[in-house]
Amino acid sequence: MEKAIAAGKAGEPIVALFGLFGKDEEKTIQQVPQHIAVIMDGNGRWAKKRGMPRKAGHATGAETFRRIATYSKDIGVKYFTVYAFSTENWKRPQDEVDALMNLFRKYLKEAIEDMAKNNVAVRVIGDLHVLPEDIRELIRDCDTVAAKLEDPAYATLCINYGGRDEIKNAVRDIARKVKAGELEPEDITEDTITNHLYTADMPDPDLIIRPSGEIRISNFLLWQSAYAEYYFTDVLWPDFKPEDLDEAIASFHQRQRRFGGV
Ligand code: FPP
């Protein structure tokens, strides 16, 4: 089946048109997922296949991120979130960690320059305390620029992020409020937990994509993914193209989301 995705404006009702529309053909109008999240996997294997160092895979993966984030904004996805560095990734060789930090520096500097022009709010979530101070400063500068944007699309990088770590931190914050007498244990609801996560002001992801043939969650958006649809593909992240995103969205539309109902 051929398909076309109509460009939508982030923040407005969004339509994607699937199907080849002949004179008498039925038209299907479907919404682009509001929030797409990606586990950017396969950079190391991509580099190895080419006899290149792993960091070359990450550098190409960062280019892919730029292209796919722009494409998703162009088709009307309001929130695009990527797993860029997990709480476990510190165990990697120091030169790989350094290379990733340099990619973050470079991208955040670009983002500060370009955010207003593109109306994309770049955000970083995770346990940011342990990041190098200059990166934390760039993140603060990003936040300052992002705060001035009107109804932007959001590109969120999860850095030093772990789903369990995030829930643990939320529980700690809630426990502090209970201890201080600001909150009664009986008043703790699912929303209380949601509102103490790094993603408090974001909707849950509708679609989570994992390239590279791995079929697991790897501690990504554990709480938020309760009703997300997953899409797995063998394509390695540096090779991931806008057409692959189209395929993921088409697959998403073939599913029936019932949220526990019938
Ligand atoms: C997992 O693939 C990927 C990572 C640990 C890092 C992902 C980061 C990037 C793509 C760079 C992002 C930069 C910006 C600016 C957003 P892997 O290396 O574990 O791949 P493998 O399983 O093939 O070894």
Side-chain angles (χ1 to χ4, degrees):
M1 180 175 78
E2 285 193 41
K3 62 183 180 297
I5 295 184
K9 205 171 152 213
E12 288 184 355
I14 296 155
V15 285
L17 308 177
F18 291 88
L20 180 62
F21 304 137
K23 258 195 254 144
D24 303 319
E25 278 175 289
E26 194 186 331
K27 292 189 182 181
T28 319
I29 298 183
Q30 287 164 313
Q31 282 216 323
V32 168
Q34 186 187 25
H35 184 176
I36 296 180
V38 181
I39 300 173
M40 302 187 290
D41 200 7
N43 302 328
R45 277 163 284 166
W46 183 92
K48 194 172 173 201
K49 268 175 43 182
R50 289 163 178 77
M52 295 157 90
R54 294 177 57 80
K55 56 188 175 188
H58 295 315
T60 307
E63 289 307 317
T64 302
F65 162 73
R66 285 181 179 83
R67 193 176 331 125
I68 300 299
T70 302
Y71 180 69
S72 64
K73 189 222 166 197
D74 289 347
I75 62 172
V77 175
K78 178 89 171 161
Y79 296 87
F80 183 72
T81 302
V82 292
Y83 205 179
F85 193 93
S86 77
T87 45
E88 286 75 40
N89 286 152
W90 300 105
K91 293 181 214 147
R92 295 192 173 208
Q94 192 58 45
D95 76 318
E96 186 175 341
V97 171
D98 291 345
L100 283 163
M101 294 298 148
N102 283 335
L103 290 172
F104 301 146
R105 282 187 180 92
K106 185 166 176 256
Y107 178 70
L108 291 170
K109 282 179 194 160
E110 278 170 33
I112 292 162
E113 293 296 315
D114 296 345
M115 256 195 279
K117 187 174 71 200
N118 302 332
N119 204 31
V120 174
V122 171
R123 307 180 56 201
V124 180
I125 59 171
D127 184 355
L128 307 179
H129 297 94
V130 296
L131 295 181
E133 178 49 35
D134 67 308
I135 294 188
R136 292 170 60 193
E137 199 174 323
L138 288 169
I139 294 169
R140 283 194 292 273
D141 290 349
C142 262
D143 289 343
T144 306
V145 180
K148 294 184 191 130
L149 301 180
E150 226 173 279
D151 197 20
Y154 293 87
T156 303
L157 274 56
C158 301
I159 299 182
N160 195 30
Y161 176 87
R164 287 185 174 185
D165 190 58
E166 178 185 34
I167 293 169
K168 176 209 73 188
N169 288 336
V171 170
R172 276 191 184 161
D173 284 349
I174 294 167
R176 278 191 206 102
K177 289 184 184 167
V178 171
K179 193 175 174 191
E182 295 164 21
L183 188 62
E184 292 300 323
E186 299 72 36
D187 293 336
I188 297 171
T189 63
E190 290 188 8
D191 282 346
T192 314
I193 297 172
T194 299
N195 293 334
H196 285 79
L197 299 175
Y198 305 136
T199 51
D201 49 2
M202 290 161 69
D204 286 344
D206 303 293
L207 171 63
I208 299 183
I209 300 172
R210 181 163 196 162
S212 93
E214 306 291 353
I215 305 180
R216 53 178 176 268
I217 306 176
S218 296
N219 207 10
F220 186 47
L221 300 178
L222 293 182
W223 178 272
Q224 301 87 336
S225 63
Y227 291 102
E229 296 290 338
Y230 279 91
Y231 178 80
F232 299 99
T233 170
D234 288 338
V235 175
L236 303 175
W237 175 248
D239 288 330
F240 197 92
K241 303 269 180 312
E243 299 85 279
D244 296 306
L245 191 71
D246 290 350
E247 292 229 348
I249 294 173
S251 164
F252 172 83
H253 284 304
Q254 278 158 15
R255 323 230 186 134
Q256 270 200 321
R257 302 181 84 196
R258 292 191 296 275
F259 298 98
V262 288

